[in-house]
Every structure is written in structure tokens, then in C-alpha cells.
Amino acid sequence: MCICTEVHVPEQCIDYYPQKAGVKRSRRVQFLDVRVVGTVTPSSSMTSDERNDVWYQQSDLDTFKSSARDLSRQLRSNPDQMLSNETRGLEHRISLERQKHKFLTTRAILKAQERYQSTEQLAMIASKCSSWAKQVALVTGTKDFCSAYDLNVVVPDVPPQPFPLNMRPRKRHSAPEIDVSAVAEVQRCVKRRTSFKAALVCASTNF
């Protein structure tokens, strides 16, 4: 068994690619004999029941989404129950760290677009913010490759990393204090059916 200690593609995976460094491989497109593997009936020629049997309905899609949300919540509370075959594709929903990085990356790039006009600066900021996500994607792809080709390789996960940029929280302006007694006085003026001018006089004397 080979255990990887760094974020890189294992040598067993590289050996599957026959191309050597510095050697260009010629590329050609060839068309072999046509083989009919199946026919697809046009939707216009199907009945409503036949379309429902072939295509997923909106209710089915809603059920899939609900099941994915429930499974993600369950795995976040108990990660020991995570099974690779059943949870593949739900990594972003399960990992709150990935959701946090994605949110901060999007916010940082939008803020940078307001400040900088240079495409090189924007590209540098985007690359810096998404560096951890690229490492996670590389490790995930390596795991999929090893699983598809039955390679006995252990690829460690990428540890969480702090966001590379300092994102200051937005300042929240406190609401102005309201004199409750003044508001009550205005309401009493209105209830006594005074004129609109009299109500304004009451308000101006108390605020």
C-alpha cells in the first residue's frame, strides 16, 4: 500500500499515462463503422404516461434534493457514518469549510472588481482565494482515479486552511432611539380626531 503525505498525484496514477515528458503525441480523429446501440423515441410521439415513466418529474427532483439535504445534515453531525460510494458528490453540502471558502471567495472577487480594473490583479486575487479549493479538487480527483482503477493508494485529505484575505465584516448602523412617550402623545392626538396640523404640533413639541 502506498500512502501519500503531500498533495500531489501518486506515481501509480502517473504510470497510467504512456506519454513521456517532452514527447508530443500525434492526435488523429477516426470514425469507425456506425453501430446502433439503442433508439430514443421522440417525446412528441409519447403519451403523458410514457413520458412520466421515462423522464424525472419535478416531484422526483424535489425528493432528490430533500434526501441530499437530510443526508448532508446527518453526516455533518456524525462524520463516522460517511461512506464514499453514497456520499460522492455531496462534499460541498457536507463540508461547512468548503461552503465558507466559496462564499468568501465570491465576495472577495466582487469587491475586487469594484476596486481594481486590471485583469491581472483580479486573476491574482481569484487564484489566491481559490488555492485551497484547487488542492481539494486535486485530491478528490486523485481519489476517484485510484478508485476507478482499483489502486491501493491512500490519499490524505487536505487540512482546513484560513482564508488568505482579511475580510472585514460589514458595519451595522444602530437604529436611532425613539421616544416612546412622544409616539404615544401623537397617537392620543390622532385618536381625539384633531386636525392634521394639531397632530404635527404635538409631534414637534415632543420630538
Side-chain angles (χ1 to χ4, degrees):
M1 177 183 294
C2 174
I3 301 177
C4 301
T5 57
E6 298 181 359
V7 181
H8 66 282
V9 179
E11 294 181 359
Q12 290 88 335
C13 301
I14 299 177
D15 292 340
Y16 272 77
Y17 298 95
Q19 184 179 1
K20 297 182 180 180
V23 179
K24 294 184 178 180
R25 183 174 52 186
S26 60
R27 298 182 180 182
R28 295 180 300 175
V29 178
Q30 296 179 351
F31 296 95
L32 301 179
D33 297 337
V34 178
R35 297 178 182 271
V36 179
V37 296
T39 57
V40 179
T41 305
S43 176
S44 57
S45 61
M46 292 182 181
T47 63
S48 178
D49 295 336
E50 291 175 344
R51 283 194 294 269
N52 293 337
D53 293 338
V54 174
W55 304 101
Y56 288 121
Q57 305 302 310
Q58 186 61 40
S59 58
D60 299 328
L61 301 178
D62 294 338
T63 302
F64 296 154
K65 294 179 182 179
S66 178
S67 300
R69 285 193 295 265
D70 295 340
L71 181 59
S72 300
R73 295 192 189 101
Q74 179 182 356
L75 293 174
R76 278 197 297 266
S77 59
N78 191 2
D80 296 336
Q81 297 181 356
M82 185 176 298
L83 299 176
S84 59
N85 294 333
E86 296 182 2
T87 61
R88 184 66 181 94
L90 297 178
E91 293 84 1
H92 180 70
R93 286 183 174 270
I94 297 173
S95 175
L96 296 179
E97 190 69 20
R98 295 180 67 167
Q99 297 180 22
K100 174 184 175 182
H101 271 259
K102 180 180 178 181
F103 171 78
L104 292 178
T105 299
T106 304
R107 182 180 173 187
I109 294 175
L110 292 178
K111 287 290 184 181
Q113 288 179 345
E114 299 176 356
R115 180 177 300 181
Y116 304 108
Q117 299 294 332
S118 174
T119 56
E120 289 78 7
Q121 290 178 325
L122 294 177
M124 181 185 64
I125 294 174
S127 178
K128 186 175 182 179
C129 294
S130 59
S131 59
W132 181 77
K134 286 185 285 189
Q135 296 180 18
V136 174
L138 178 61
V139 169
T140 304
T142 304
K143 289 183 178 180
D144 290 343
F145 186 90
C146 296
S147 177
Y149 288 93
D150 296 328
L151 298 179
N152 194 14
V153 179
V154 177
V155 183
D157 295 329
V158 181
Q161 298 178 4
F163 195 69
L165 299 182
N166 184 15
M167 301 295 294
R168 298 179 180 177
R170 297 178 179 177
K171 296 181 179 180
R172 296 183 178 180
H173 301 282
S174 58
E177 297 182 358
I178 300 177
D179 190 354
V180 180
S181 60
V183 176
E185 184 64 25
V186 173
Q187 292 177 350
R188 283 194 294 269
C189 292
V190 175
K191 288 182 179 180
R192 288 198 298 267
R193 295 183 179 180
T194 58
S195 62
F196 180 70
K197 183 177 181 181
L200 292 178
V201 172
C202 292
S204 61
T205 55
N206 289 278
F207 280 96

